[in-house]
Amino acid sequence: MAISTRTDSIPPQASPSDTRRKRLRWPHISTLLACLIYFYLILPSLTVIPISFSKDFSLKASSFSLILYRKLFASNEWTSAIAHSVTVAVLASTLAVLAGIPAAYAFARGRFKGKSIAQLMVICPLFVPVIVIALGLYFLGAATGILGTLTILVMAHTMYAMPFVVVMILSGLRQVDPSLERAGLIMGASSLRVFLQIVLPQLYIAIFAGWL
């Protein structure tokens, strides 16, 4: 009795190269879509730049002028406001980095009770409504007598910058090999020395990105 085999109904299997090509195609498409979305979001802000170099708030090349910048730097109110904003930004970013580095390191390497709650408290400014935090800061400032001062402004901006700094530092810590830290501890270095001489030098880019 002859046994016949039919192979015409069996679908052809994709070669490994075709499968790899399909896998590589989707990240490129998603990256392109993300770039287009980001460009669409920042486009209104980008149009402000050429408008600032005009004399009648238009995009015409014939209206190019520096009169708006001359008025800006000639006004004491605007220059003092810019200096005040730069001061708040530098202080808030620096404080957020100084507080965010040990917090991110504790979240990445530490094991302690309440770790998830602490992480939630750090990132909560990202999803808590702004009005809720603003009211809390208002009552805090009124109760302590610092309402309307530079201190309360720096505190508020530091609180909002802290989650971004922690996320950046955590991303950088994922690139640090924990075996290097264990090797330093085995060689007799203290935990502080391991952090300062092994971990911290590898986080400069993440720290700078978080500070910005």
Side-chain angles (χ1 to χ4, degrees):
M1 182 177 180
I3 300 176
S4 61
T5 58
R6 297 183 62 184
T7 59
D8 54 349
S9 61
I10 301 176
Q13 296 181 354
S15 62
S17 59
D18 294 338
T19 304
R20 193 180 303 110
R21 193 179 298 110
K22 290 180 180 179
R23 291 179 180 176
L24 294 176
R25 187 182 304 166
W26 170 244
H28 293 300
I29 296 176
S30 61
T31 302
L32 178 61
L33 290 176
C35 292
L36 292 175
I37 293 174
Y38 290 151
F39 179 75
Y40 174 77
L41 293 176
I42 67 174
L43 183 60
S45 299
L46 294 178
T47 57
V48 177
I49 298 176
I51 289 177
S52 66
F53 289 98
S54 65
K55 57 184 177 181
D56 54 357
F57 300 98
S58 65
L59 293 175
K60 298 179 181 179
S62 59
S63 63
F64 178 82
S65 175
L66 297 176
I67 187 172
L68 296 179
Y69 285 97
R70 287 196 293 266
K71 291 181 179 180
L72 172 66
F73 292 108
S75 173
N76 292 329
E77 295 180 355
W78 280 105
T79 53
S80 62
I82 293 174
H84 192 68
S85 299
V86 171
T87 302
V88 172
V90 171
L91 291 176
S93 298
T94 303
L95 290 176
V97 167
L98 292 177
I101 292 175
Y105 188 73
F107 295 152
R109 299 289 191 265
R111 295 180 180 179
F112 54 91
K113 293 183 179 180
K115 179 180 176 180
S116 58
I117 298 177
Q119 289 177 318
L120 182 63
M121 294 297 294
V122 170
I123 66 172
C124 70
L126 295 178
F127 54 83
V128 174
V130 177
I131 186 63
V132 175
I133 299 178
L135 284 175
L137 290 172
Y138 176 81
F139 290 124
L140 175 63
T144 57
I146 60 174
L147 190 64
T149 63
L150 179 65
T151 303
I152 193 69
L153 281 176
V154 173
M155 288 176 57
H157 285 80
T158 301
M159 183 179 59
Y160 274 105
M162 181 81 171
F164 298 99
V165 173
V166 171
V167 170
M168 289 292 183
I169 303 300
L170 284 174
S171 177
L173 284 171
R174 293 190 185 98
Q175 309 301 322
V176 178
D177 189 359
S179 61
L180 299 176
E181 303 172 48
R182 291 193 294 267
L185 294 173
I186 293 173
M187 295 299 292
S190 62
S191 299
L192 180 60
R193 186 175 182 181
V194 168
F195 176 77
L196 293 177
Q197 296 187 356
I198 297 178
V199 179
L200 194 61
Q202 302 183 63
L203 297 177
Y204 285 157
I205 296 178
I207 292 173
F208 182 71
W211 189 84
L212 291 178

